[in-house]
Amino acid sequence: MNVSYSQDEQRFQEEVRKWFRENAPAEIIDQTLGGSTLDPDLQIKWHKTLFEKGWAAPEFPREMGGAGFSETEQFIFHYEYSLSGAPRPKTKFISLGMLAPILLQFGTKEQQERFIPDMISGKTVWCQGFSETEAGSDLASLKTKASLEGNEFIVNGQKTWTSMADHADWMFMLVRTDSSGKKQEGISFLLVDMKSPGITIRPIEALTDHAPFCEVFFDNVRVPRENLVGKINEGWKITGTLLEHERLDASAMGELVYAIETVRKNAAKTIFRGKPLLQDEVFRKKLAALEVDCDSLLYAFFRILSQLKIGAAPGPGSSFLKVYGGELYQRVLDLNLEAIGPYAQSWYNIEGLGNSVHQATMGWINSRSLTTWGGSSEIQRTIIATRILNLPRK
Amino acid sequence: MDFELTSEHLLFRESVASFVKKEHSFNRLRALKGDPWGYSRDVWKKMAELGWMGLIYPEEYGGLGLDFTFVMVLLEEFGRGLLPEPWISTVLLGGNLVLAGGTEAQKEEIIPAIVAGDLFVTVAYLEDGGRYDLNFCATSARQKNGGFSLSGRKIFVLDGCSADRFIVTARTSGDISDADGLTLFIISRGASGVEITPLKTMDGRNACILDLKDASVSESDIIGKQDDGYPLLADIIDQATAGVCAEMVGGMDASLEMTVRHLSERVQFGRPIGSFQTLQHKAADMFIQKELAASATYYAVASIDEKTEERSLAVSTAKTKCSSAYLEVTKTAMQLFGAMGFTNEADIGFFLKRAKVTEVLFGDADYHLARVATMKGY
């Protein structure tokens, strides 16, 4: 066993760290804790900066405009990126993280060539239309309907929790094309131009006072048949491969480490009875306990990463990284508010205290969503129990 | 970066697992309950014949000279079966300390005898009032007749009832909590002024209180340098702590496996209880805790040859995680086994008891957390 990076990997790590230190604009640094509160226009601008460096798509081969990084390099890149305090543009996460792998596997050559380069450059912004109000975690119950008339699908219905819908050029969505059989069997995967007539967008204000997601209404929206991905009624199968594509989300790990460093900084600045709170016996043990959990999680990432290196898939074994990582992040931000004491009740910035108070309270509120989106913690635990531990389903 | 085991490690794992299966069972633990040692000399001898006492010792002393990952593999399997033989105290503490700081004469006398399975050695450092601190030491060593006279009391000396030799910490200078001024002495079980009060630990192992009353030792019984025993001891305790973490990971793994089997087989309300979501989620949490503890332990084991600070941080991280995870896993297991789990007829209870004993062995989570905080710079 050897748990150090190689010399080349260390050199790469330093290069990435240095670039982010020099190029991530001050206006977006420290937005990590606030997560999706980052202004969408800034996200798009930041994506373009990354593209100019050639780093917009670390997972993609160079000939497609990607960076062509190895598995370990991708891990290091995402980890250092998050550690710099720069936010991850949602634009990238939705288009390159979710849609692009699907298009590569199921899309036509025309679809790949038409859409992927603009995703990498950040020219087109995508949103994802999966969730519906009545479906939630039971995604297959979705009702938005698309009926084929000649060479066009006519789409009617409603999507919700759609991030960036109000800034997106395109949406990839799941629609019901058949309701006669099992609910998983009549679903199709469509690409929809957001400028199509019949689309109405209503932003939903979150507890952060920002509107990070929207409701999207479809009223007889016409979608050309060529925008169908894969075969009709096979959308569920296509979506299922999203999970198989799931990568090690090193960004989450970097964000966690960054959050812990923020707690440490805040506790060092907070004076309690003449000395920094960081030296308080009770507080320092609480922080150390989170560091132990965080480091243990990091080593779990390393273990899975070394499995990837020998060609094994991360498998469902990695699903605990999401559930535990999200819950740990919430605990870290809980302690962050504890560190600032009475300031924890404030909402806007307080003169003279810099950005940190606002980021702490905003980040704390925002972190509550981590354990509900993308399959709640409860769903993840059921996955661990039934797919890893093989406990009976009935 | 590479967390994978080599084919040699994997082969070794197989042979340890089959030994544990052949030579050991939970019924053996039940049979050993009243035994003052809590383990068997026969099994110990068989382990010695396989070369396991000399696993990490150099070949010149009859050892195999293998890397520390083999220790992890061995102890994970011991932990899976709860093998009670005192490998950690004799090989990882006693013998290792002699190897690290002993004179050539001490090594030649002690190491080959350990390798042959003929000698049990342990380390006595805990004292009342010091909790887990290695530097807290009221036991005194006064110079007398060209040697030293030791007086003081050590508590919870691991496998102390069966040990032939004790390596004790005694203060040759400094105040009660100083790291400087500690000296390590080897002292024999039968020496005058050595009194042993047997203790039984919750998991059926043995420990003892060691009273030293003007016990005489000579200068040649010092391990390492006078007044400078602390760094040597701290090194070896780190290694033993990483070892016990591996044992704990094996125990967590076995507890989880046993629990999953129970959940799948036990039928209530017409369904296997493992199909109930509440219980599934508890099992998922056991899995998460086990994976994190294993990851931290792998990292600590891989860092065992690193610089002191890095290694100690990795070890304390692992021990904190393992201490809380093993208890959480076994407490949840007990709950999921229901009333059955509360009986001595069920095997699962052995793991809960072992979890508690290993939680405090070499320092509990709080002790290690304080070390983590200090090493992280706050």
Side-chain angles (χ1 to χ4, degrees), chain A residues 58-236:
Chain A
E59 298 85 0
F60 283 71
R62 277 173 197 270
E63 56 271 22
M64 290 182 61
F69 291 158
S70 72
E71 291 281 2
T72 309
E73 283 170 341
Q74 287 172 37
F75 184 90
I76 293 171
F77 176 81
H78 287 298
Y79 184 77
E80 289 300 325
Y81 178 166
S82 305
L83 214 54
S84 73
R88 279 182 290 164
K90 266 221 174 94
T91 50
K92 239 165 69 71
F93 174 68
I94 296 169
S95 60
L96 291 171
M98 302 178 88
L99 178 59
I102 282 188
L103 286 187
L104 285 177
Q105 195 176 343
F106 297 99
T108 61
K109 200 160 180 301
E110 289 72 30
Q111 287 171 340
Q112 292 168 6
E113 283 169 0
R114 180 176 170 202
F115 294 115
I116 294 179
D118 287 348
M119 290 182 199
I120 295 178
S121 68
K123 194 174 155 204
T124 47
V125 175
W126 284 80
C127 61
Q128 180 234 54
F130 283 7
S131 292
E132 294 187 13
T133 45
E134 299 294 318
S137 290
D138 182 14
L139 181 58
S141 303
L142 60 90
K143 291 199 179 73
T144 297
K145 222 174 127 182
S147 44
L148 192 56
E149 284 179 16
N151 263 335
E152 284 179 331
F153 288 97
I154 312 295
V155 180
N156 280 289
Q158 180 195 343
K159 293 287 173 183
T160 192
W161 312 129
T162 316
S163 299
M164 304 282 291
D166 49 346
H167 285 75
D169 306 295
W170 285 83
M171 171 189 276
F172 59 96
M173 68 186 298
L174 291 177
V175 288
R176 181 153 303 286
T177 33
D178 185 352
S179 41
S180 59
K182 273 177 67 182
K183 60 184 183 179
Q184 284 85 0
E185 283 163 7
I187 293 171
S188 299
F189 196 107
L190 290 184
L191 309 176
V192 181
D193 187 336
M194 289 299 278
K195 288 185 288 293
S196 312
I199 293 181
T200 314
I201 299 164
R202 187 184 77 86
I204 305 171
E205 198 170 90
L207 290 179
T208 54
D209 290 348
H210 295 259
F213 31 62
C214 308
E215 279 182 303
V216 185
F217 301 88
F218 296 84
D219 179 16
N220 287 317
V221 176
R222 293 176 173 269
V223 179
R225 189 180 179 141
E226 68 204 46
N227 290 3
L228 172 74
V229 179
K231 294 198 183 96
I232 197 159
N233 294 334
E234 281 190 356
W236 188 253

Side-chain angles (χ1 to χ4, degrees), chain B residues 15 26-27 32 43 82 85 89 96 111 113 126 138 158 164 169 174-175 186-187 189 191 219 223 248 277 301 362 371:
Chain B
S15 68
F26 292 101
N27 280 337
L32 284 166
V43 174
L82 293 179
E85 273 61 31
S89 58
N96 227 5
I111 306 288
L126 289 183
L158 190 59
D164 302 302
T169 49
D175 289 334
I186 311 181
I187 191 159
R189 175 181 197 80
E219 202 143 314
I223 294 187
M248 295 166 94
Q277 209 167 48
V301 166
F362 308 130
R371 275 182 23 127

Side-chain angles (χ1 to χ4, degrees), chain A residues 1-5 264 278 284-285 288-289 291 293 295 299-300 302-303 306 309 324 378 381-382 392, chain B residues 1-4 260 272 274-275 277 280-281 284-285 288 291-292 295-296 299 317 321 366 369 374 376 378:
Chain A
M1 293 200 301
N2 170 20
V3 291
S4 311
Y5 289 131
R264 201 197 284 210
L278 195 55
R284 72 198 282 266
K285 277 190 182 163
E291 298 229 32
D293 285 341
D295 286 345
Y299 306 144
F302 285 168
R303 262 170 80 208
S306 58
K309 274 174 75 177
Y324 191 78
E378 288 69 29
R381 283 187 164 81
T382 303
Chain B
M1 187 183 340
D2 175 21
F3 270 71
E4 297 300 304
V260 166
S275 67
Q277 209 167 48
Q280 288 184 344
H281 289 189
D285 282 330
I288 292 170
E291 284 299 306
L292 293 168
S295 304
Y299 192 80
T317 297
K321 194 66 226 173
D366 241 30
L369 273 183
T374 304
K376 292 259 187 188
Y378 53 89

Side-chain angles (χ1 to χ4, degrees), chain A residues 12-73:
Chain A
F12 176 73
Q13 183 177 30
E14 277 157 32
E15 183 195 343
V16 174
R17 187 171 293 183
K18 187 163 172 275
W19 186 84
F20 276 99
R21 204 165 45 216
E22 288 167 4
N23 293 282
E27 60 195 356
I28 65 164
I29 288 286
D30 209 28
Q31 294 282 333
T32 303
L33 278 185
S36 57
T37 55
L38 180 64
D39 178 346
D41 293 328
L42 283 178
Q43 291 194 42
I44 294 161
K45 198 175 139 201
W46 173 225
H47 186 152
K48 287 183 176 155
T49 310
L50 284 166
F51 174 69
E52 281 156 24
K53 172 66 184 168
W55 284 356
E59 298 85 0
F60 283 71
R62 277 173 197 270
E63 56 271 22
M64 290 182 61
F69 291 158
S70 72
E71 291 281 2
T72 309
E73 283 170 341

